[in-house]
Amino acid sequence: MATARDGMMAATDGLRIDVHWHGIARDGLDDAVAQHTAEARGIAAVIDALDAMLAEFDERMSALRDAVRTIVDGEAPAAGITLAANGIASPHGELADWFTSRLHALADDAAATDAWAAREITVAAGTAPSLRDVAAELGEVAVTAQWWSRIDADTKEDAYEDDRSLGNRDGLPHADRDRYNRRHLAEALARAERQVALIHSAREAYPSEGQWREQVEPAQTHAAALRDLTATLGPDRLLTVFDDAGRVAVSLGDPDTADAITTLVPGTGANIATMRAGIDRGQAMLDAVRTLDPSANPAVVVWYGYDAPATLVEASRGAAATAAAPLLAEFQDGLRATSPGVPLTVVGHSYGTTVIGHAASGGHVLAADDVILVASPGIGVEHPTDLRFDAVDPRDNATRIHSVTAPDDPIRFVPTVVHGPQPAQTPGWGTPLTGGDPSWWSAASHSAYWERGAPTLEAMAGVMTGRVRGDASPAA
């Protein structure tokens, strides 16, 4: 498919009229060439979308097949359960029912994936009711927002029933994203608790205590994380991202009505189970802004929307940042589209700064007016001008990059060969912020930047409100 697409575009791009004449006929010919070229490019976009969709379809179905094989050929036989080709398990009992329910859930996922692929093909073939859907699937945030504003409540409900990830679509109002993502979270929590209950009820059927614990402990951890996330959500907090892979974002305040928006990107070890700590940091930032400017109406988005490295060994590599880059860039694009004219600040902590660097380089452009790099091990580029922000001339990047690393933070020991120069320790790498007084080296200092009364909090609030620019003096 890609080869055909490339051949078509090569032929179209090569269509040039070199005959030198002028007049109405020549103008008509030029218009015709332009029209056919535009049509070809539209077809190419559809081919690209189909190609990406088929790759994702294959990835989803392969994962489902692997999950079925794991149950049928591994877990069930190990537990003394035989699963027939028709899905019937024997001997009958609670454990057999549990394995059967898991297979049924996988079958439902396969059917949903097949239906999704069919819808995508229908859209690409041009038989969908609106071209807005094509643009939405191609990631055009502004068109998604327009599409959402024009459909009625029933159509929105149908969209959620078709796609549980609807609330993650950039371009939807954040209040709507929150409503659908909370429903998705409640459904996920109910499934997780049912799974824990089934495993507990079947405890005696497991061949050994160890095998039972291998099943029950991760299930309990997952359910506990979902319960904790549910408990952290209040009326002033919006669940703007939630998916079954554990990627989450919670907004403190409504980005659609805020006069300044900050996105907090966490580092190593960040996952749904540690989300409460991230929300506490976001709240500390929000409070610092309100203390500095009581009239401000800020929003802070705690963005756990990527698969963060789980260990320091993983954090020494750039793979997680590379994978996270388009996710963060697209999320920020969504904020820019739904909140035009509102200043956007992106704050990264530790490996989160590396994610920011990757999201603003390597072909990506990050929608941000300012970035704050806290305890950065390096962000993957050598110079500030290597970064691309949508609202800043690269030559002025240093005036919009702010960095801080405490004198006793052991992150200073990370060599430049890992992720490049550390902004806080490299001259010319933007504006240094206040980072506290020197003391003995301490791992705790790596996370102390958000403690109440920490000087870094006030410094960050100055950037978030636009009061600090360039040389750390008040903005004009």
Side-chain angles (χ1 to χ4, degrees), residues 17 68 151-152 179 202:
I17 307 300
V68 170
I151 61 176
D152 59 25
R179 181 168 66 256

Side-chain angles (χ1 to χ4, degrees), residues 91-165:
H92 298 301
E94 291 180 339
L95 183 58
D97 291 343
W98 177 61
F99 281 117
T100 301
S101 70
R102 291 172 65 191
L103 288 176
H104 287 168
L106 290 171
D108 290 342
D109 287 345
T113 299
D114 185 69
W116 165 78
R119 288 194 302 273
E120 296 298 297
I121 292 171
T122 300
V123 168
T127 58
S130 172
L131 289 178
R132 290 192 300 273
D133 295 334
V134 177
E137 293 301 327
L138 292 177
E140 295 183 11
V141 176
V143 181
T144 300
Q146 185 183 48
W147 163 71
W148 189 254
S149 69
R150 293 184 179 181
I151 61 176
D152 59 25
D154 290 339
T155 304
K156 291 175 180 178
E157 285 300 305
D158 290 341
Y160 176 74
E161 291 302 321
D162 287 342
D163 181 8
R164 286 297 192 267
S165 66

Side-chain angles (χ1 to χ4, degrees), residues 349-429:
H349 176 233
S350 194
Y351 194 85
T353 68
T354 311
V355 172
I356 291 174
H358 283 248
S361 63
H364 301 293
V365 178
L366 186 63
D369 299 280
D370 288 275
V371 297
I372 303 175
L373 310 175
V374 181
S376 177
I379 65 173
V381 298
E382 294 295 322
H383 307 286
T385 53
D386 295 333
L387 301 175
R388 294 294 179 269
F389 304 112
D390 70 333
V392 185
D393 186 312
R395 294 170 296 182
D396 298 328
N397 281 351
T399 68
R400 298 305 181 95
I401 298 171
H402 314 265
S403 60
V404 58
T405 299
D408 55 346
D409 190 331
I411 198 74
R412 288 176 175 269
F413 291 122
V414 176
T416 58
V417 71
V418 177
H419 294 301
Q422 293 191 17
Q425 300 189 70
T426 307
W429 252 104

Side-chain angles (χ1 to χ4, degrees), residues 43-68:
I43 294 171
V46 171
I47 292 174
D48 287 342
L50 280 173
D51 202 32
M53 182 277 294
L54 290 172
E56 183 174 351
F57 176 78
D58 183 63
E59 181 179 348
R60 290 188 189 184
M61 295 302 283
S62 294
L64 291 170
R65 285 193 295 269
D66 290 344
V68 170

